[in-house]
Amino acid sequence: MPRTLLEPRFQIEYLSILDSEGNLDAALEPEIPADGLRRLYRAMVLGRRLDERMVRLQRQGRIGTFAPIKGQEAAQMGSVFALRPSDWMVPSFRETAAMLWRGWTIEKLLLFFAGRLEGAQPAPEQHDLPITIPVATQLPHAVGLAYAAQYRGDEVVVMAFCGDGATSEGDFHEALNFAGVWHVPAVFVVQNNQWAISVPLKKQTHSATLAQKALAYGFPGIQVDGNDLLAVYAASREGVERARRGEGPTLIECMTYRLGVHTTADDPTRYRSDEEVRAWERKDPLPRVRAYLEKKNLLEEGIEERVDEEIAAAVERFEAMAAADPLAIFDHVHADRSAALEAQRAELAERLRADAPRRPDEERPLPTPMRGQRKTSRWAN
């Protein structure tokens, strides 16, 4: 019996509309109102300037570990711009610009990266899930959310974000499988920034593209220039409209680059070259959009200064907030605390009391060390 070709139709498209040299494919240019273009550029500038400020805050010990987005602003803004407020966004941990666009305040983002509970709470009317630190675990939740919306008959779309490293995780494939099986109204935005911490893409997958992984699960995937705001928006709008029509999910691979560190705990000079970074700096999405707006006479002067003032005021409000209660970490583990959890809470409370500032005349006897005990605890003993 001769072999027969079963699926000759599978193809992956690449979309670019405004390239890094400023060349515009006018035939593909999406219709975006002038006010929309101005707001998009301002949001990208806010994302970039806040990103730089948060890195400095972390270096000064004023917030904890932070994952910068520098270089990925177009991938985020081009995608969420296609959503309605009633749609759902499911972020990973590198969607600062997208979250600001969706209504998260700067203070709330600062609270999250300062380890505060309040930073993970969306506003009651906000259709967003909070930041997810574990890689790809938010994707099955996004599919469940989309399935529930479909079941209820809600006319909403769920947009879920992840990085290229997430596509190596089981959760990614389980999510895509059931998204295809249930035909859910979902759009998966993969920000392919070339590196999963220090692991390059070529060591993560043997596939020519990440977009083609959607084909295995029965729905379309497309690769776009992730530093091209117009291309990302055009692909996202198409995916969102397709989902809203009941035609199922879409995967959008945004080819972009993380210009900064993976997180503030990372040193990328140990695993990638300066030459590679400089090559991607020439593709920076912000100058590209700025030049595009200049040609349309839509560029507003002084955006950077106004954005910096907004950030400075937010940082001031954040730092004026009362200190967090360390015992709050026990409040949301279980609905009812177990005996073991109560014991841990009591122990921490006792240690916090013991670690409180002492009066000069206050003396506290040191506990007797157990036989062979090493004094390595950071607690006073």
Side-chain angles (χ1 to χ4, degrees):
M1 298 289 288
R3 297 187 183 192
T4 55
L5 190 59
L6 294 178
E7 291 287 0
R9 58 187 169 160
F10 288 160
Q11 291 181 331
I12 292 295
E13 292 181 344
Y14 176 81
L15 178 62
S16 172
I17 298 174
L18 179 67
D19 69 18
S20 54
E21 306 303 319
N23 301 312
L24 174 70
D25 188 333
L28 296 176
E29 183 181 11
E31 289 186 16
I32 303 177
D35 180 58
L37 286 171
R38 289 194 194 96
R39 291 192 300 126
L40 277 168
Y41 180 64
R42 186 189 181 283
M44 291 174 70
V45 173
L46 176 60
R48 174 69 60 91
R49 304 290 272 210
L50 177 62
D51 201 64
E52 294 168 347
R53 184 66 191 275
M54 289 180 85
V55 170
R56 293 199 298 276
L57 289 171
Q58 192 280 332
R59 298 302 189 219
Q60 295 161 0
R62 294 157 72 183
I63 62 171
T65 303
F66 171 65
I69 66 165
K70 187 176 182 180
Q72 299 181 215
E73 295 87 352
Q76 297 184 22
M77 294 316 307
S79 49
V80 291
F81 189 64
L83 294 179
R84 298 173 181 170
S86 55
D87 293 327
W88 283 85
M89 183 185 76
V90 181
S92 64
F93 52 81
R94 203 187 297 280
E95 278 74 49
T96 306
M99 293 180 75
L100 290 169
W101 181 266
R102 294 282 294 177
W104 293 75
T105 64
I106 296 173
E107 294 97 302
K108 194 161 273 190
L109 294 174
L110 289 166
L111 283 167
F112 180 87
F113 288 104
R116 297 280 293 269
L117 176 68
E118 302 91 322
Q121 293 173 324
E125 71 281 2
Q126 205 168 354
H127 283 194
D128 294 342
L129 296 193
I131 292 172
T132 307
I133 298 296
V135 177
T137 58
Q138 76 279 16
L139 300 177
H141 294 113
V143 174
L145 194 58
Y147 182 65
Q150 183 188 59
Y151 181 78
R152 288 159 52 106
D154 296 341
E155 192 189 340
V156 300
V157 175
V158 178
M159 180 175 282
F161 288 86
C162 68
D164 47 287
T167 65
S168 303
E169 296 284 347
D171 278 343
F172 171 83
H173 296 279
E174 290 162 14
L176 262 64
N177 182 54
F178 283 104
V181 169
W182 292 331
H183 218 54
V184 297
V187 176
F188 299 93
V189 179
V190 180
Q191 294 186 79
N192 180 359
N193 68 15
Q194 316 296 320
W195 292 88
I197 310 183
S198 58
V199 180
L201 187 67
K202 65 183 179 184
K203 289 189 177 179
Q204 299 176 53
T205 181
H206 195 55
S207 301
T209 70
L210 297 178
Q212 70 197 66
K213 294 181 186 294
L215 303 184
Y217 299 108
F219 57 90
I222 182 171
Q223 188 186 78
V224 303
D225 179 347
N227 287 4
D228 176 355
L229 178 73
L230 303 182
V232 177
Y233 170 65
S236 299
R237 185 183 60 185
E238 193 175 296
V240 166
E241 289 177 352
R242 185 171 174 277
R244 216 180 295 283
R245 290 195 301 267
E247 296 175 10
T250 300
L251 187 150
I252 301 169
E253 177 190 4
C254 297
M255 292 292 287
T256 182
Y257 193 77
R258 162 173 47 89
L259 291 174
V261 294
H262 169 72
T263 70
T264 47
D266 172 46
D267 177 9
T269 62
R270 296 169 66 90
Y271 55 81
R272 67 184 189 187
S273 68
D274 291 341
E275 183 183 8
E276 178 183 305
V277 177
R278 283 195 295 273
W280 277 96
E281 282 175 342
R282 291 192 285 275
K283 302 175 184 176
D284 191 328
L286 262 74
R288 204 183 303 190
V289 178
R290 184 182 178 86
Y292 175 67
L293 294 187
E294 275 179 340
K295 288 179 183 174
K296 288 180 171 287
N297 292 319
L298 294 175
L299 191 64
E300 297 175 73
E301 293 301 327
I303 287 181
E304 288 78 5
E305 290 76 10
R306 290 195 291 278
V307 158
D308 285 346
E309 289 171 5
E310 182 182 343
I311 294 170
V315 171
E316 198 171 322
R317 289 193 294 273
F318 156 69
E319 295 199 314
M321 293 179 184
D325 177 7
L327 296 178
I329 62 172
F330 294 96
D331 291 346
H332 303 283
V333 180
H334 300 294
D336 299 310
R337 282 196 290 268
S338 64
L341 207 57
E342 284 288 5
Q344 290 177 27
R345 187 181 187 282
E347 182 181 351
L348 178 59
E350 176 58 30
R351 289 190 174 203
L352 290 170
R353 280 193 294 273
D355 211 32
R358 306 176 189 180
R359 298 190 310 273
D361 60 338
E362 187 180 14
E363 292 186 2
R364 187 174 298 149
L366 295 174
T368 305
M370 294 174 63
R371 186 176 180 182
Q373 181 183 7
R374 297 175 59 192
K375 293 184 178 179
T376 55
S377 169
R378 65 189 178 90
W379 300 99
N381 57 25

